[in-house]
Amino acid sequence: SGSVHAAGVHKQYPGPRGVQALAGIDADIPQGRFVSILGPSGCGKSTFLRCVAGLETITDGTLEVHGKPVRGAPDGIGIVFQRDALLDWRSIRSNILLPVEFAHKPVARYAEKVDHLLALTKLTDFANSYPRELSGGMRQRAAICRALVDDPELLLMDEPFGALDALTRDQMNVELQRIWMETRNTVMFVTHGIAEAVFLGDVVMVFSPRPGRIVETITIDLPRP
Ligand code: ADP
Ligand code: ADP
C-alpha cells in the first residue's frame, strides 16, 4: 500500500447550498513521489489536501494515508497553507520547533536543523522575533521551516510560495527539490503554476471543477540532477 490511497472520494460541504467539492477522486500515490496538483480555482485542490490531512471529513469513498483510513490528523505529516498559521505568542524558532514538541522528541537535537532552515529561508536574524514583527513573506517562510523541520513522511503544500516574490519562489523551488531528492518523502504540492508543477513534480495531477475530479495524471520522466 502506498502513501496515499483514494478511491471514489467525495466531499460535500454541509448546508443547503453546500458545494460538491470532490466527486469521485481516485488516486494512488506511492511512497516517495512528488505529486504536483494543478487546476483552476475552486476545483477542489485545497479540499482534497485538507481531507488527506484529516482537517475535513470525506462524505463518501475511501481515503487512506500510510495504509490507514484518515481519522483526525495523522502522524508524520507536514502542512503548509497559502497563509501561515504561526502562533503569535511563540518566537519564530519556537514556532518552527512545534512539530518536534508534538512528537515528544528532544528539541535540543534539532538546533542545527533549525539553524540550517533559518539560513535557507533568510530568517537567521529573526529566530528570536515574534510573528507580528515579520512581514507576510517572512512568516510564510517560517511556516515552511516548521513543515520541514522533522522530515515528515508526507508533506502537504497548498500554494506555499504564492505570496513570495519571484526570486525567493525560485530559490524555494530549487531548495524544495533538493530536500525531496535527499529525503524521498512523499510530497503533494498544489500550485497554479504549470512550470512550477512540472519542474518539481514527477507526477502532475490535473483537477477540473464542477464537480471536482482528476481529469489527467501525467508522469514526468525527466533526468534529475
Ligand atoms: P481550490 O483549492 O481548487 O481552489 P477548494 O477546495 O478551495 O478549491 O474549493 C472547492 C469548492 O468547495 C469551491 O466551490 C469552494 O467554494 C467550496 N468550498 C471550499 N471550502 C469550503 C467550505 N469550508 N465550506 C463550503 N464550501 C467550501
Ligand atoms: P513581503 O512579505 O512584504 O513581500 P518579504 O518577506 O519579501 O516581504 O520581506 C522583504 C524584506 O524586508 C525582508 O527580507 C527583510 O529584510 C525586510 N523586513 C520585512 N519585515 C521586517 C522587519 N519586521 N524587520 C526587519 N526587516 C524586515
Side-chain angles (χ1 to χ4, degrees), residues 126 133-138 141 165:
F126 297 89
E133 302 173 78
L134 272 58
S135 72
M138 296 163 88
R141 272 143 43 208
D165 64 86

Side-chain angles (χ1 to χ4, degrees), residues 166-202:
L167 177 63
T168 310
R169 191 165 57 227
D170 287 350
Q171 291 171 340
M172 296 298 294
N173 277 335
V174 169
E175 193 51 39
L176 179 59
Q177 187 179 64
R178 195 190 59 72
I179 289 168
W180 175 67
M181 301 281 220
E182 243 172 60
T183 61
R184 290 290 171 168
N185 289 324
T186 313
V187 185
M188 293 173 73
F189 185 92
V190 169
T191 176
H192 274 114
I194 293 177
E196 189 175 67
V198 173
F199 172 73
L200 287 169
D202 58 348

Side-chain angles (χ1 to χ4, degrees), residues 34-38 177 189 191 193-204 218-222 224:
F34 195 120
V35 179
S36 297
I37 299 176
L38 269 174
Q177 187 179 64
F189 185 92
T191 176
I194 293 177
E196 189 175 67
V198 173
F199 172 73
L200 287 169
D202 58 348
V203 176
V204 179
I218 302 154
T219 302
I220 313 273
D221 200 5
L222 289 174
R224 302 284 180 183

Side-chain angles (χ1 to χ4, degrees), residues 13-14 17-22 39-48 50 56 82 158-159 190 192 207:
Y13 282 106
R17 299 202 296 162
V19 176
Q20 172 97 305
L22 300 174
S41 243
C43 65
K45 306 183 297 294
S46 295
T47 299
F48 186 49
R50 290 171 56 80
E56 296 282 358
Q82 274 155 275
D158 192 352
E159 295 185 58
V190 169
H192 274 114
F207 276 55

Side-chain angles (χ1 to χ4, degrees), residues 14-103:
R17 299 202 296 162
V19 176
Q20 172 97 305
L22 300 174
I25 298 291
D26 300 309
D28 237 317
I29 303 175
Q31 181 65 37
R33 283 293 145 82
F34 195 120
V35 179
S36 297
I37 299 176
L38 269 174
S41 243
C43 65
K45 306 183 297 294
S46 295
T47 299
F48 186 49
L49 233 58
R50 290 171 56 80
C51 288
V52 172
L55 299 169
E56 296 282 358
T57 51
I58 63 174
T59 43
D60 198 13
T62 307
L63 185 58
E64 294 175 350
V65 172
H66 302 136
K68 278 181 269 171
V70 177
R71 249 184 243 100
D75 295 331
I77 288 193
I79 311 176
V80 187
F81 298 106
Q82 274 155 275
R83 262 167 298 163
D84 74 84
L86 301 177
L87 302 179
D88 293 334
W89 59 91
R90 282 176 169 247
S91 69
I92 293 305
R93 176 183 294 280
S94 151
N95 262 289
I96 293 171
L97 282 164
L98 273 171
V100 178
E101 280 183 39
F102 282 146

